[in-house]
Amino acid sequence: MTITSLLRGLAFTTVCVATMAGAATEPPAETGRAPTTEERRAIEFQLTEAGYAAAGDVTLVGSRWSLKASVVATGARFTLELSNLDFAILSRRAAP
């Protein structure tokens, strides 16, 4: 494990903790909204760690983030759903 990956992991953990702490005091998230800057960074970090090269539109749908046209290094496209709490990938479907 390199110093860079350790620092990236620490940054991701910091964003997750800050986001979860804020979620405990904020009203429920609005469906259909775009991610905040911090949420977008955490989502992009999670996708990079999972091997995705790019992400398209990101929208909150219910209690999950919906990503249309996420691309892996091979060029395959997927629609993903991520947890709105820890940004873990919950589902993956091939995109048309």
Side-chain angles (χ1 to χ4, degrees):
M1 184 173 276
T2 66
I3 298 260
T4 303
S5 63
L6 286 172
L7 291 174
R8 289 177 73 194
L10 179 60
F12 175 70
T13 302
T14 303
V15 169
C16 286
V17 169
T19 301
M20 289 188 290
T25 60
E26 295 178 9
E30 296 178 29
T31 295
R33 74 170 176 86
T36 64
T37 302
E38 293 84 14
E39 290 167 334
R40 183 70 186 199
R41 282 187 197 136
I43 289 167
E44 289 174 357
F45 177 83
Q46 182 72 13
L47 293 177
T48 301
E49 289 297 305
Y52 291 90
D57 294 334
V58 179
T59 307
L60 187 63
V61 178
S63 63
R64 296 180 176 196
W65 290 105
S66 176
L67 286 77
K68 298 176 184 157
S70 297
V71 181
V72 291
T74 62
R77 297 167 52 102
F78 297 93
T79 298
L80 302 173
E81 288 186 351
L82 279 65
S83 166
N84 71 334
L85 297 177
D86 63 0
F87 309 102
I89 297 172
L90 302 174
S91 73
R92 176 179 110 157
R93 295 182 308 277

